[in-house]
Amino acid sequence: MNISRNKSNIKMVLYSLLSAAQVSFVGTLIMSEVYAGLNSLNFGRIGQLYRNNPDVKRVHRAMFIFLVVQMLSDVINHNSMNNMLRGWAAIAVSLVIFTFMFRMFDDTPRIIIAFMCAEVVRMILFGNTDLEQDTSSLMEDYSLFKFRIAPITNYIILLITFYTYNKRKDMLTVAILMVYGLANVGLDYRSNGLFFLFGGLIIHFRRVLMHMTLARKIGLTIFVGIVFQILYMFYVHAVLSGEFGGKHAGDQLSETGNPYNPFSLIGQGRGEFFVAIEAVKDAPWLGHGSWATDEDNHYRSLMFKDLDKDKSRVLALNNSGVIPSHSVLLGAWVYGGVIAFLCMFYIFWLSLKRAFSLMMDERAMETPYYPLIVLFTVQLLWIFPFSPLPHIRSTLPLMIAFIITIYHSLQNDEEDEEEDLLPDNG
C-alpha cells in the first residue's frame, strides 16, 4: 500500500509541475494534460473505477454527451475548423483530467496533500500559468495579490487547516480561515475571501447545522441574510470612503447603480452572465458553436449599454472576440445548446448532492479532509454559475473527483481507504 501511495504521490506531483509547460496545439495544450492522458488510458482500471465509484461513470457519460452535442452544434452552425477543434479538444481534455483525478484519489485521497505542496512550489517558481488572457492584463490595473499571491496562499492555508483540523484544533482551524478570509476582502479579492469566511462559519457550526430542523434552518437562513446585508452595507461605506478594500472594489461599487444592493454588484461585476442569457435566448437548442464569435460586438455592446454611446463602443471594440458568458453552465449552453447545459447542470447537481451529504455526515466531520470538503463545496457554488467554461479542465476535476471519492469511500467502508480517512491520534 505504501509503495502504491508513493507512486500516486509522484504522479500527482509530476502532474502539477508539468502544468508550467505549455505548447501551442489546437489552442493551448498544457503538458500536464498530456501526462494525464497517458496515465488514464487503462480501460481495465476505468472499469474497476466504475465498480468502486458509480459516479465516475455518470460524470463520464455526461461529459461524453456534452462532447457529442457540441460536435453537432459546430457542424450545424458551420463553425470554423479551428474553433471546432478548440472546442472539442477542451471537452476531451477535461474528460481525460476527470479520469486522471478519479484514478489518483481512488488510490488514496491523501495525495491531495502532495498535489497542493507541488502547486505551491510550481506557482512560486513559474507563476500561475492557468491565467486567462483577459485576466492577466488586469494585473497591471488591479490586484497583484489576487492573481499572483492568493493562488499560492490559498493552498498554504488549506494545508495548514488540514493539519490543525487533523490534530482536532477546531477553533484554531476556524480562526485561520476567518482571518484569512477577512484579509482577502481587505486586499481586494472579495469572492475568495467570502469562500473562506463562509467555510469557517460552516465548520464552526457544523454539528449544530446537522441536527437542525427544517424550520430552524429557514430561520437561520433569514437571520444570516439580514446580518450579511448589514455587514455588507458597512463594507460598501468603508470602500467608497477609501477606508477599506482596493481599486478594483472601489471601481466596481462606484459604477454600480445601487452599491448597497449585493445583487446589483453581482450584475455589475458579472455582466457577462446576463449577456450570456441573451445569447441563449437567440440560440436555445443548439447554441452558437464552440468559441462562437460575437459578430459586430453585438453581445459585448449589451454589457456596456448603461454607458454613453461613445464609451460603450470603445469598450466593446477593445473587448471584441467570443460571445461573453463567464459561467460554466451558461457557457456550455451558449456553445452547445440546451443538452450541453443539462450535462453540466447534472454534474453540478451530482457534485453538490455528494458534497452536502458529506457536510452533514458525522463520519466525514471526523476526517482531516473536512475543511477541504467545505471549501471545495462553497467554491463549486460560485464556479459553476459565475466562472468561465475553461474551469472544466482546470479547477473542477480536482474538486469534484475529490468530493465524490471521499463520499464513496465512506459509503463503501473499504478498509484501506477508511484507514486513510482517519485522523491522527497525536
PDB file of all heavy atoms in Angstrom, residues 183-215:
ATOM      1  N   ALA A 183      -8.744  39.024   5.446  1.00  0.00           N
ATOM      2  CA  ALA A 183      -7.568  39.607   4.790  1.00  0.00           C
ATOM      3  C   ALA A 183      -7.762  39.680   3.279  1.00  0.00           C
ATOM      4  O   ALA A 183      -7.391  40.663   2.633  1.00  0.00           O
ATOM      5  CB  ALA A 183      -6.321  38.784   5.132  1.00  0.00           C
ATOM      6  N   ASN A 184      -8.382  38.652   2.696  1.00  0.00           N
ATOM      7  CA  ASN A 184      -8.649  38.648   1.258  1.00  0.00           C
ATOM      8  C   ASN A 184      -9.605  39.771   0.860  1.00  0.00           C
ATOM      9  O   ASN A 184      -9.405  40.440  -0.155  1.00  0.00           O
ATOM     10  CB  ASN A 184      -9.235  37.301   0.831  1.00  0.00           C
ATOM     11  CG  ASN A 184      -8.175  36.284   0.472  1.00  0.00           C
ATOM     12  OD1 ASN A 184      -7.879  36.048  -0.687  1.00  0.00           O
ATOM     13  ND2 ASN A 184      -7.580  35.680   1.490  1.00  0.00           N
ATOM     14  N   VAL A 185     -10.660  39.960   1.663  1.00  0.00           N
ATOM     15  CA  VAL A 185     -11.602  41.039   1.362  1.00  0.00           C
ATOM     16  C   VAL A 185     -10.887  42.386   1.427  1.00  0.00           C
ATOM     17  O   VAL A 185     -11.074  43.251   0.561  1.00  0.00           O
ATOM     18  CB  VAL A 185     -12.787  41.002   2.342  1.00  0.00           C
ATOM     19  CG1 VAL A 185     -13.713  42.200   2.102  1.00  0.00           C
ATOM     20  CG2 VAL A 185     -13.567  39.704   2.190  1.00  0.00           C
ATOM     21  N   GLY A 186     -10.047  42.577   2.436  1.00  0.00           N
ATOM     22  CA  GLY A 186      -9.303  43.824   2.571  1.00  0.00           C
ATOM     23  C   GLY A 186      -8.294  44.035   1.468  1.00  0.00           C
ATOM     24  O   GLY A 186      -8.000  45.180   1.093  1.00  0.00           O
ATOM     25  N   LEU A 187      -7.763  42.940   0.905  1.00  0.00           N
ATOM     26  CA  LEU A 187      -6.760  43.024  -0.158  1.00  0.00           C
ATOM     27  C   LEU A 187      -7.382  42.949  -1.550  1.00  0.00           C
ATOM     28  O   LEU A 187      -6.711  42.634  -2.522  1.00  0.00           O
ATOM     29  CB  LEU A 187      -5.729  41.907   0.022  1.00  0.00           C
ATOM     30  CG  LEU A 187      -4.817  42.062   1.248  1.00  0.00           C
ATOM     31  CD1 LEU A 187      -4.034  40.781   1.507  1.00  0.00           C
ATOM     32  CD2 LEU A 187      -3.855  43.238   1.047  1.00  0.00           C
ATOM     33  N   ASP A 188      -8.684  43.223  -1.635  1.00  0.00           N
ATOM     34  CA  ASP A 188      -9.371  43.393  -2.921  1.00  0.00           C
ATOM     35  C   ASP A 188      -9.645  42.087  -3.652  1.00  0.00           C
ATOM     36  O   ASP A 188      -9.718  42.060  -4.876  1.00  0.00           O
ATOM     37  CB  ASP A 188      -8.573  44.328  -3.838  1.00  0.00           C
ATOM     38  CG  ASP A 188      -9.473  45.213  -4.682  1.00  0.00           C
ATOM     39  OD1 ASP A 188     -10.696  45.144  -4.490  1.00  0.00           O
ATOM     40  OD2 ASP A 188      -8.956  45.941  -5.543  1.00  0.00           O
ATOM     41  N   TYR A 189      -9.790  40.986  -2.901  1.00  0.00           N
ATOM     42  CA  TYR A 189     -10.176  39.718  -3.516  1.00  0.00           C
ATOM     43  C   TYR A 189     -11.409  39.231  -2.770  1.00  0.00           C
ATOM     44  O   TYR A 189     -11.373  38.272  -2.021  1.00  0.00           O
ATOM     45  CB  TYR A 189      -9.028  38.722  -3.414  1.00  0.00           C
ATOM     46  CG  TYR A 189      -9.149  37.534  -4.352  1.00  0.00           C
ATOM     47  CD1 TYR A 189      -8.156  36.558  -4.385  1.00  0.00           C
ATOM     48  CD2 TYR A 189     -10.231  37.368  -5.204  1.00  0.00           C
ATOM     49  CE1 TYR A 189      -8.236  35.468  -5.245  1.00  0.00           C
ATOM     50  CE2 TYR A 189     -10.335  36.292  -6.063  1.00  0.00           C
ATOM     51  CZ  TYR A 189      -9.337  35.342  -6.059  1.00  0.00           C
ATOM     52  OH  TYR A 189      -9.434  34.255  -6.910  1.00  0.00           O
ATOM     53  N   ARG A 190     -12.519  39.911  -3.031  1.00  0.00           N
ATOM     54  CA  ARG A 190     -13.732  39.738  -2.253  1.00  0.00           C
ATOM     55  C   ARG A 190     -14.305  38.321  -2.328  1.00  0.00           C
ATOM     56  O   ARG A 190     -14.635  37.718  -1.307  1.00  0.00           O
ATOM     57  CB  ARG A 190     -14.772  40.745  -2.746  1.00  0.00           C
ATOM     58  CG  ARG A 190     -16.047  40.800  -1.941  1.00  0.00           C
ATOM     59  CD  ARG A 190     -16.923  41.941  -2.409  1.00  0.00           C
ATOM     60  NE  ARG A 190     -17.075  41.935  -3.853  1.00  0.00           N
ATOM     61  CZ  ARG A 190     -16.730  42.963  -4.643  1.00  0.00           C
ATOM     62  NH1 ARG A 190     -16.213  44.060  -4.118  1.00  0.00           N
ATOM     63  NH2 ARG A 190     -16.904  42.898  -5.952  1.00  0.00           N
ATOM     64  N   SER A 191     -14.438  37.767  -3.539  1.00  0.00           N
ATOM     65  CA  SER A 191     -15.050  36.446  -3.685  1.00  0.00           C
ATOM     66  C   SER A 191     -14.229  35.381  -2.973  1.00  0.00           C
ATOM     67  O   SER A 191     -14.781  34.518  -2.277  1.00  0.00           O
ATOM     68  CB  SER A 191     -15.215  36.084  -5.167  1.00  0.00           C
ATOM     69  OG  SER A 191     -13.956  36.078  -5.833  1.00  0.00           O
ATOM     70  N   ASN A 192     -12.917  35.436  -3.110  1.00  0.00           N
ATOM     71  CA  ASN A 192     -12.069  34.455  -2.439  1.00  0.00           C
ATOM     72  C   ASN A 192     -12.193  34.567  -0.922  1.00  0.00           C
ATOM     73  O   ASN A 192     -12.245  33.558  -0.210  1.00  0.00           O
ATOM     74  CB  ASN A 192     -10.610  34.663  -2.864  1.00  0.00           C
ATOM     75  CG  ASN A 192      -9.720  33.486  -2.524  1.00  0.00           C
ATOM     76  OD1 ASN A 192      -9.938  32.371  -2.967  1.00  0.00           O
ATOM     77  ND2 ASN A 192      -8.693  33.735  -1.720  1.00  0.00           N
ATOM     78  N   GLY A 193     -12.271  35.796  -0.436  1.00  0.00           N
ATOM     79  CA  GLY A 193     -12.432  35.994   0.994  1.00  0.00           C
ATOM     80  C   GLY A 193     -13.727  35.412   1.516  1.00  0.00           C
ATOM     81  O   GLY A 193     -13.757  34.796   2.591  1.00  0.00           O
ATOM     82  N   LEU A 194     -14.805  35.563   0.732  1.00  0.00           N
ATOM     83  CA  LEU A 194     -16.096  35.018   1.155  1.00  0.00           C
ATOM     84  C   LEU A 194     -16.078  33.498   1.195  1.00  0.00           C
ATOM     85  O   LEU A 194     -16.740  32.888   2.049  1.00  0.00           O
ATOM     86  CB  LEU A 194     -17.197  35.515   0.221  1.00  0.00           C
ATOM     87  CG  LEU A 194     -17.544  37.002   0.346  1.00  0.00           C
ATOM     88  CD1 LEU A 194     -18.584  37.399  -0.700  1.00  0.00           C
ATOM     89  CD2 LEU A 194     -18.062  37.332   1.749  1.00  0.00           C
ATOM     90  N   PHE A 195     -15.328  32.869   0.278  1.00  0.00           N
ATOM     91  CA  PHE A 195     -15.211  31.405   0.310  1.00  0.00           C
ATOM     92  C   PHE A 195     -14.707  30.956   1.674  1.00  0.00           C
ATOM     93  O   PHE A 195     -15.266  30.046   2.305  1.00  0.00           O
ATOM     94  CB  PHE A 195     -14.246  30.899  -0.764  1.00  0.00           C
ATOM     95  CG  PHE A 195     -14.682  31.155  -2.173  1.00  0.00           C
ATOM     96  CD1 PHE A 195     -13.737  31.242  -3.189  1.00  0.00           C
ATOM     97  CD2 PHE A 195     -16.015  31.293  -2.494  1.00  0.00           C
ATOM     98  CE1 PHE A 195     -14.121  31.465  -4.498  1.00  0.00           C
ATOM     99  CE2 PHE A 195     -16.418  31.519  -3.802  1.00  0.00           C
ATOM    100  CZ  PHE A 195     -15.460  31.616  -4.809  1.00  0.00           C
ATOM    101  N   PHE A 196     -13.639  31.591   2.143  1.00  0.00           N
ATOM    102  CA  PHE A 196     -13.012  31.169   3.393  1.00  0.00           C
ATOM    103  C   PHE A 196     -13.832  31.597   4.608  1.00  0.00           C
ATOM    104  O   PHE A 196     -13.890  30.870   5.609  1.00  0.00           O
ATOM    105  CB  PHE A 196     -11.587  31.715   3.473  1.00  0.00           C
ATOM    106  CG  PHE A 196     -10.615  30.985   2.593  1.00  0.00           C
ATOM    107  CD1 PHE A 196     -10.429  31.362   1.274  1.00  0.00           C
ATOM    108  CD2 PHE A 196      -9.919  29.891   3.070  1.00  0.00           C
ATOM    109  CE1 PHE A 196      -9.552  30.666   0.445  1.00  0.00           C
ATOM    110  CE2 PHE A 196      -9.040  29.189   2.256  1.00  0.00           C
ATOM    111  CZ  PHE A 196      -8.864  29.577   0.934  1.00  0.00           C
ATOM    112  N   LEU A 197     -14.492  32.756   4.523  1.00  0.00           N
ATOM    113  CA  LEU A 197     -15.340  33.183   5.637  1.00  0.00           C
ATOM    114  C   LEU A 197     -16.522  32.234   5.818  1.00  0.00           C
ATOM    115  O   LEU A 197     -16.806  31.776   6.940  1.00  0.00           O
ATOM    116  CB  LEU A 197     -15.840  34.607   5.385  1.00  0.00           C
ATOM    117  CG  LEU A 197     -14.813  35.722   5.568  1.00  0.00           C
ATOM    118  CD1 LEU A 197     -15.387  37.059   5.093  1.00  0.00           C
ATOM    119  CD2 LEU A 197     -14.393  35.836   7.036  1.00  0.00           C
ATOM    120  N   PHE A 198     -17.230  31.936   4.727  1.00  0.00           N
ATOM    121  CA  PHE A 198     -18.356  31.010   4.823  1.00  0.00           C
ATOM    122  C   PHE A 198     -17.874  29.604   5.209  1.00  0.00           C
ATOM    123  O   PHE A 198     -18.549  28.900   5.969  1.00  0.00           O
ATOM    124  CB  PHE A 198     -19.125  30.962   3.501  1.00  0.00           C
ATOM    125  CG  PHE A 198     -20.069  32.110   3.313  1.00  0.00           C
ATOM    126  CD1 PHE A 198     -19.902  33.004   2.282  1.00  0.00           C
ATOM    127  CD2 PHE A 198     -21.132  32.295   4.177  1.00  0.00           C
ATOM    128  CE1 PHE A 198     -20.769  34.074   2.097  1.00  0.00           C
ATOM    129  CE2 PHE A 198     -22.016  33.353   4.019  1.00  0.00           C
ATOM    130  CZ  PHE A 198     -21.830  34.256   2.977  1.00  0.00           C
ATOM    131  N   GLY A 199     -16.725  29.204   4.681  1.00  0.00           N
ATOM    132  CA  GLY A 199     -16.168  27.903   5.044  1.00  0.00           C
ATOM    133  C   GLY A 199     -15.891  27.806   6.536  1.00  0.00           C
ATOM    134  O   GLY A 199     -16.210  26.794   7.183  1.00  0.00           O
ATOM    135  N   GLY A 200     -15.300  28.852   7.092  1.00  0.00           N
ATOM    136  CA  GLY A 200     -15.028  28.863   8.529  1.00  0.00           C
ATOM    137  C   GLY A 200     -16.299  28.795   9.362  1.00  0.00           C
ATOM    138  O   GLY A 200     -16.361  28.071  10.363  1.00  0.00           O
ATOM    139  N   LEU A 201     -17.338  29.530   8.943  1.00  0.00           N
ATOM    140  CA  LEU A 201     -18.609  29.513   9.682  1.00  0.00           C
ATOM    141  C   LEU A 201     -19.265  28.134   9.638  1.00  0.00           C
ATOM    142  O   LEU A 201     -19.800  27.649  10.641  1.00  0.00           O
ATOM    143  CB  LEU A 201     -19.556  30.563   9.096  1.00  0.00           C
ATOM    144  CG  LEU A 201     -19.200  32.028   9.381  1.00  0.00           C
ATOM    145  CD1 LEU A 201     -20.126  32.962   8.598  1.00  0.00           C
ATOM    146  CD2 LEU A 201     -19.283  32.328  10.876  1.00  0.00           C
ATOM    147  N   ILE A 202     -19.227  27.496   8.475  1.00  0.00           N
ATOM    148  CA  ILE A 202     -19.831  26.164   8.336  1.00  0.00           C
ATOM    149  C   ILE A 202     -19.111  25.156   9.232  1.00  0.00           C
ATOM    150  O   ILE A 202     -19.749  24.339   9.909  1.00  0.00           O
ATOM    151  CB  ILE A 202     -19.797  25.710   6.868  1.00  0.00           C
ATOM    152  CG1 ILE A 202     -20.762  26.567   6.032  1.00  0.00           C
ATOM    153  CG2 ILE A 202     -20.176  24.232   6.748  1.00  0.00           C
ATOM    154  CD1 ILE A 202     -20.626  26.363   4.539  1.00  0.00           C
ATOM    155  N   ILE A 203     -17.787  25.209   9.236  1.00  0.00           N
ATOM    156  CA  ILE A 203     -17.027  24.273  10.073  1.00  0.00           C
ATOM    157  C   ILE A 203     -17.328  24.510  11.550  1.00  0.00           C
ATOM    158  O   ILE A 203     -17.475  23.563  12.340  1.00  0.00           O
ATOM    159  CB  ILE A 203     -15.521  24.410   9.788  1.00  0.00           C
ATOM    160  CG1 ILE A 203     -15.212  23.927   8.362  1.00  0.00           C
ATOM    161  CG2 ILE A 203     -14.690  23.613  10.803  1.00  0.00           C
ATOM    162  CD1 ILE A 203     -13.812  24.224   7.894  1.00  0.00           C
ATOM    163  N   HIS A 204     -17.447  25.776  11.938  1.00  0.00           N
ATOM    164  CA  HIS A 204     -17.709  26.088  13.351  1.00  0.00           C
ATOM    165  C   HIS A 204     -19.089  25.598  13.795  1.00  0.00           C
ATOM    166  O   HIS A 204     -19.246  25.068  14.908  1.00  0.00           O
ATOM    167  CB  HIS A 204     -17.604  27.601  13.570  1.00  0.00           C
ATOM    168  CG  HIS A 204     -17.812  28.015  14.988  1.00  0.00           C
ATOM    169  ND1 HIS A 204     -16.959  27.638  16.005  1.00  0.00           N
ATOM    170  CD2 HIS A 204     -18.798  28.752  15.585  1.00  0.00           C
ATOM    171  CE1 HIS A 204     -17.377  28.134  17.155  1.00  0.00           C
ATOM    172  NE2 HIS A 204     -18.510  28.813  16.919  1.00  0.00           N
ATOM    173  N   PHE A 205     -20.096  25.750  12.936  1.00  0.00           N
ATOM    174  CA  PHE A 205     -21.469  25.390  13.303  1.00  0.00           C
ATOM    175  C   PHE A 205     -21.908  24.053  12.702  1.00  0.00           C
ATOM    176  O   PHE A 205     -23.110  23.776  12.621  1.00  0.00           O
ATOM    177  CB  PHE A 205     -22.437  26.492  12.853  1.00  0.00           C
ATOM    178  CG  PHE A 205     -22.269  27.794  13.576  1.00  0.00           C
ATOM    179  CD1 PHE A 205     -21.684  28.883  12.946  1.00  0.00           C
ATOM    180  CD2 PHE A 205     -22.675  27.930  14.899  1.00  0.00           C
ATOM    181  CE1 PHE A 205     -21.525  30.088  13.616  1.00  0.00           C
ATOM    182  CE2 PHE A 205     -22.526  29.133  15.581  1.00  0.00           C
ATOM    183  CZ  PHE A 205     -21.937  30.220  14.931  1.00  0.00           C
ATOM    184  N   ARG A 206     -20.961  23.225  12.289  1.00  0.00           N
ATOM    185  CA  ARG A 206     -21.287  22.014  11.538  1.00  0.00           C
ATOM    186  C   ARG A 206     -22.222  21.078  12.311  1.00  0.00           C
ATOM    187  O   ARG A 206     -23.171  20.540  11.741  1.00  0.00           O
ATOM    188  CB  ARG A 206     -20.008  21.273  11.123  1.00  0.00           C
ATOM    189  CG  ARG A 206     -19.147  20.774  12.279  1.00  0.00           C
ATOM    190  CD  ARG A 206     -17.747  20.378  11.801  1.00  0.00           C
ATOM    191  NE  ARG A 206     -16.925  19.825  12.864  1.00  0.00           N
ATOM    192  CZ  ARG A 206     -16.301  20.564  13.775  1.00  0.00           C
ATOM    193  NH1 ARG A 206     -16.443  21.885  13.768  1.00  0.00           N
ATOM    194  NH2 ARG A 206     -15.545  19.996  14.694  1.00  0.00           N
ATOM    195  N   ARG A 207     -21.964  20.881  13.586  1.00  0.00           N
ATOM    196  CA  ARG A 207     -22.778  19.932  14.353  1.00  0.00           C
ATOM    197  C   ARG A 207     -24.150  20.523  14.682  1.00  0.00           C
ATOM    198  O   ARG A 207     -25.149  19.800  14.758  1.00  0.00           O
ATOM    199  CB  ARG A 207     -22.048  19.512  15.632  1.00  0.00           C
ATOM    200  CG  ARG A 207     -20.731  18.801  15.327  1.00  0.00           C
ATOM    201  CD  ARG A 207     -20.154  18.122  16.537  1.00  0.00           C
ATOM    202  NE  ARG A 207     -18.827  17.591  16.245  1.00  0.00           N
ATOM    203  CZ  ARG A 207     -18.584  16.458  15.608  1.00  0.00           C
ATOM    204  NH1 ARG A 207     -19.601  15.721  15.186  1.00  0.00           N
ATOM    205  NH2 ARG A 207     -17.349  16.054  15.381  1.00  0.00           N
ATOM    206  N   VAL A 208     -24.200  21.816  14.870  1.00  0.00           N
ATOM    207  CA  VAL A 208     -25.490  22.479  15.098  1.00  0.00           C
ATOM    208  C   VAL A 208     -26.355  22.357  13.847  1.00  0.00           C
ATOM    209  O   VAL A 208     -27.544  22.028  13.925  1.00  0.00           O
ATOM    210  CB  VAL A 208     -25.275  23.966  15.455  1.00  0.00           C
ATOM    211  CG1 VAL A 208     -26.614  24.680  15.584  1.00  0.00           C
ATOM    212  CG2 VAL A 208     -24.480  24.088  16.746  1.00  0.00           C
ATOM    213  N   LEU A 209     -25.752  22.606  12.688  1.00  0.00           N
ATOM    214  CA  LEU A 209     -26.488  22.525  11.428  1.00  0.00           C
ATOM    215  C   LEU A 209     -26.986  21.104  11.174  1.00  0.00           C
ATOM    216  O   LEU A 209     -28.078  20.904  10.635  1.00  0.00           O
ATOM    217  CB  LEU A 209     -25.600  22.981  10.270  1.00  0.00           C
ATOM    218  CG  LEU A 209     -25.228  24.469  10.239  1.00  0.00           C
ATOM    219  CD1 LEU A 209     -24.158  24.714   9.183  1.00  0.00           C
ATOM    220  CD2 LEU A 209     -26.458  25.323   9.951  1.00  0.00           C
ATOM    221  N   MET A 210     -26.186  20.119  11.554  1.00  0.00           N
ATOM    222  CA  MET A 210     -26.529  18.728  11.280  1.00  0.00           C
ATOM    223  C   MET A 210     -27.816  18.314  11.990  1.00  0.00           C
ATOM    224  O   MET A 210     -28.609  17.528  11.457  1.00  0.00           O
ATOM    225  CB  MET A 210     -25.368  17.824  11.713  1.00  0.00           C
ATOM    226  CG  MET A 210     -25.586  16.347  11.407  1.00  0.00           C
ATOM    227  SD  MET A 210     -24.149  15.345  11.854  1.00  0.00           S
ATOM    228  CE  MET A 210     -24.148  15.523  13.635  1.00  0.00           C
ATOM    229  N   HIS A 211     -28.063  18.854  13.191  1.00  0.00           N
ATOM    230  CA  HIS A 211     -29.224  18.429  13.990  1.00  0.00           C
ATOM    231  C   HIS A 211     -30.378  19.435  13.930  1.00  0.00           C
ATOM    232  O   HIS A 211     -31.350  19.293  14.662  1.00  0.00           O
ATOM    233  CB  HIS A 211     -28.802  18.219  15.450  1.00  0.00           C
ATOM    234  CG  HIS A 211     -27.779  17.128  15.615  1.00  0.00           C
ATOM    235  ND1 HIS A 211     -28.053  15.802  15.375  1.00  0.00           N
ATOM    236  CD2 HIS A 211     -26.467  17.181  15.978  1.00  0.00           C
ATOM    237  CE1 HIS A 211     -26.966  15.070  15.600  1.00  0.00           C
ATOM    238  NE2 HIS A 211     -25.988  15.881  15.958  1.00  0.00           N
ATOM    239  N   MET A 212     -30.283  20.424  13.076  1.00  0.00           N
ATOM    240  CA  MET A 212     -31.334  21.442  12.978  1.00  0.00           C
ATOM    241  C   MET A 212     -32.539  20.923  12.214  1.00  0.00           C
ATOM    242  O   MET A 212     -32.400  20.197  11.232  1.00  0.00           O
ATOM    243  CB  MET A 212     -30.795  22.690  12.254  1.00  0.00           C
ATOM    244  CG  MET A 212     -30.355  23.792  13.171  1.00  0.00           C
ATOM    245  SD  MET A 212     -30.019  25.289  12.228  1.00  0.00           S
ATOM    246  CE  MET A 212     -29.485  26.353  13.546  1.00  0.00           C
ATOM    247  N   THR A 213     -33.711  21.340  12.664  1.00  0.00           N
ATOM    248  CA  THR A 213     -34.924  21.051  11.901  1.00  0.00           C
ATOM    249  C   THR A 213     -34.992  21.999  10.696  1.00  0.00           C
ATOM    250  O   THR A 213     -34.285  23.010  10.647  1.00  0.00           O
ATOM    251  CB  THR A 213     -36.170  21.254  12.774  1.00  0.00           C
ATOM    252  OG1 THR A 213     -36.253  22.638  13.163  1.00  0.00           O
ATOM    253  CG2 THR A 213     -36.117  20.365  14.007  1.00  0.00           C
ATOM    254  N   LEU A 214     -35.869  21.669   9.753  1.00  0.00           N
ATOM    255  CA  LEU A 214     -36.023  22.495   8.562  1.00  0.00           C
ATOM    256  C   LEU A 214     -36.460  23.908   8.933  1.00  0.00           C
ATOM    257  O   LEU A 214     -35.964  24.897   8.368  1.00  0.00           O
ATOM    258  CB  LEU A 214     -37.036  21.859   7.607  1.00  0.00           C
ATOM    259  CG  LEU A 214     -37.337  22.652   6.316  1.00  0.00           C
ATOM    260  CD1 LEU A 214     -36.068  22.832   5.498  1.00  0.00           C
ATOM    261  CD2 LEU A 214     -38.419  21.941   5.509  1.00  0.00           C
ATOM    262  N   ALA A 215     -37.399  24.031   9.885  1.00  0.00           N
ATOM    263  CA  ALA A 215     -37.889  25.355  10.290  1.00  0.00           C
ATOM    264  C   ALA A 215     -36.752  26.203  10.858  1.00  0.00           C
ATOM    265  O   ALA A 215     -36.633  27.402  10.560  1.00  0.00           O
ATOM    266  CB  ALA A 215     -39.006  25.200  11.320  1.00  0.00           C
TER     267      ALA A 215
END
